[in-house]
Amino acid sequence: MLSTIKKQILMIGEKPMQTLSDRKATTQTHLQNIPPVVYQTWEVNYFGKTHFAEIEKFRDLNPDLSFELFAKEKLEAYMEEVWGNHPIYPIFQKSKFGPMFADIFRYCILLERGGFYFDISKGCSVSVSSLCAANSTGLISYEAHDCVVIPNIKAIERMTHPEKYILQWGIGFAKGHPILQKLIENICEYYPYFKGKSFAIPKNAILSLTGPGMFTKTIREFFNEAADENLTQAGIDFNGSGIYSLKGSWVRYATVPAYTTANSTIIVD
């Protein structure tokens, strides 16, 4: 982690902040089932110079994909309009941390519209569509971290890395994919356990309810019940091409505190 003084010095070179606009695809895609659009979200739509340049570089690498950013107000308007009558909406409203909003949003918009989602601080060194076959119904990848809870036997047989967590900072799905439907149902089902409860390490609880923990659990359940041979499993960290932290992405926390600093608090009312 950068020291406070070093951050303050580096911040001088990151200003003025750059406004990020949506971008339309400029070439045709070979994808048949997954819509060629990447959804992203952050509190605001402006970023430090270095981070902005890295986001644009990622976009340049994917000319067959459109990119749409949902800043806070746009995200909240979408959730109310499309999901306002669904049980997931009050959970979204009562969530206390930004990553929970982003988690729920990505599952909801991909279920409703289909497409890809990437965290604004993440990317790939290869084009996203190159990771998918034309008939792919989804794109998932695995974290390098082992998960000590083993899946059921059928899921083990159908997963390429059943011993790993499944990352969800970069995912893609066809519209209406059953994994997303089950994922949203699982969050709603487990919500009462987390409601109003204080956690010593809120980050871990968030990962369990809406993050990679719940994502991994749901996909394991899916593979235990059914096989989807067209769901692309792109190795670990997108076959080594995943970029976990874009250069300069730390600047986004200059005005929005990181959720990892919280302790002994509730994550959802």
Side-chain angles (χ1 to χ4, degrees):
M1 294 294 289
L2 296 170
S3 67
T4 301
I5 296 177
K6 188 175 182 180
K7 282 184 178 180
Q8 291 174 347
I9 295 173
L10 291 175
M11 273 297 297
I12 296 173
E14 294 295 337
K15 295 180 178 179
M17 306 292 267
Q18 307 293 297
T19 300
L20 186 68
S21 301
D22 294 340
R23 183 191 288 195
K24 294 292 185 181
T26 56
T27 63
Q28 293 294 315
T29 185
H30 73 288
L31 299 174
Q32 300 171 358
N33 298 315
I34 306 175
V37 57
V38 177
Y39 297 104
Q40 297 181 288
T41 184
W42 187 243
E43 290 285 314
V44 294
N45 67 340
Y46 48 86
F47 303 89
K49 288 182 179 179
T50 302
H51 189 190
F52 178 85
E54 292 297 308
I55 294 172
E56 290 289 84
K57 187 186 299 184
F58 179 47
R59 291 177 167 195
D60 290 341
L61 194 60
N62 293 275
D64 62 328
L65 303 179
S66 296
F67 285 79
E68 187 172 351
L69 176 69
F70 281 70
K72 183 178 179 180
E73 290 184 3
K74 182 178 178 181
L75 182 149
E76 291 176 345
Y78 165 79
M79 289 298 299
E80 181 178 10
E81 179 182 353
V82 180
W83 297 89
N85 294 320
H86 190 284
I88 195 65
Y89 183 63
I91 300 175
F92 171 84
Q93 285 184 303
K94 296 174 182 178
S95 295
K96 297 295 185 180
F97 292 90
M100 300 178 71
F101 300 134
D103 287 340
I104 293 172
F105 165 73
R106 76 191 69 182
Y107 309 143
C108 287
I109 198 165
L110 294 187
L111 178 63
E112 187 238 339
R113 299 183 182 181
F116 298 94
Y117 173 91
F118 270 81
D119 281 350
I120 200 65
S121 62
K122 311 288 194 286
C124 273
S125 60
V126 300
S127 67
V128 175
S129 58
S130 71
L131 297 167
C132 306
N135 63 346
S136 292
T137 57
L139 172 67
I140 62 170
S141 186
Y142 295 83
E143 295 184 3
H145 307 297
D146 289 337
C147 179
V148 297
V149 179
I150 194 168
N152 291 332
I153 293 298
K154 285 189 177 181
I156 289 176
E157 295 171 348
R158 293 164 174 165
M159 299 175 73
T160 57
H161 293 280
E163 77 284 4
K164 303 292 186 181
Y165 282 101
I166 303 170
L167 65 81
Q168 46 84 271
W169 52 258
I171 55 176
F173 285 100
K175 177 180 178 179
H177 199 287
I179 284 177
L180 299 171
Q181 182 68 51
K182 178 62 176 175
L183 183 52
I184 292 170
E185 291 173 358
N186 275 345
I187 293 173
C188 293
E189 180 180 354
Y190 281 84
Y191 160 68
Y193 170 76
F194 292 85
K195 179 181 179 181
K197 183 174 293 186
S198 179
F199 292 90
I201 306 177
K203 175 185 175 182
N204 291 343
I206 293 169
L207 297 179
S208 295
L209 177 59
T210 63
M214 186 62 80
F215 192 60
T216 299
K217 167 185 166 60
T218 302
I219 290 184
R220 286 176 164 188
E221 290 174 346
F222 173 80
F223 276 123
N224 190 56
E225 296 294 330
D228 183 351
E229 296 179 355
N230 294 325
L231 177 64
T232 298
Q233 301 181 57
I236 295 174
D237 289 332
F238 295 108
N239 300 320
S241 65
I243 302 174
Y244 184 75
S245 182
L246 294 177
K247 294 177 183 178
S249 59
W250 61 270
V251 174
R252 73 195 192 282
Y253 287 125
T255 55
V256 182
Y259 79 114
T260 54
T261 61
N263 56 72
S264 298
T265 187
I266 64 173
I267 66 169
V268 61
D269 286 330

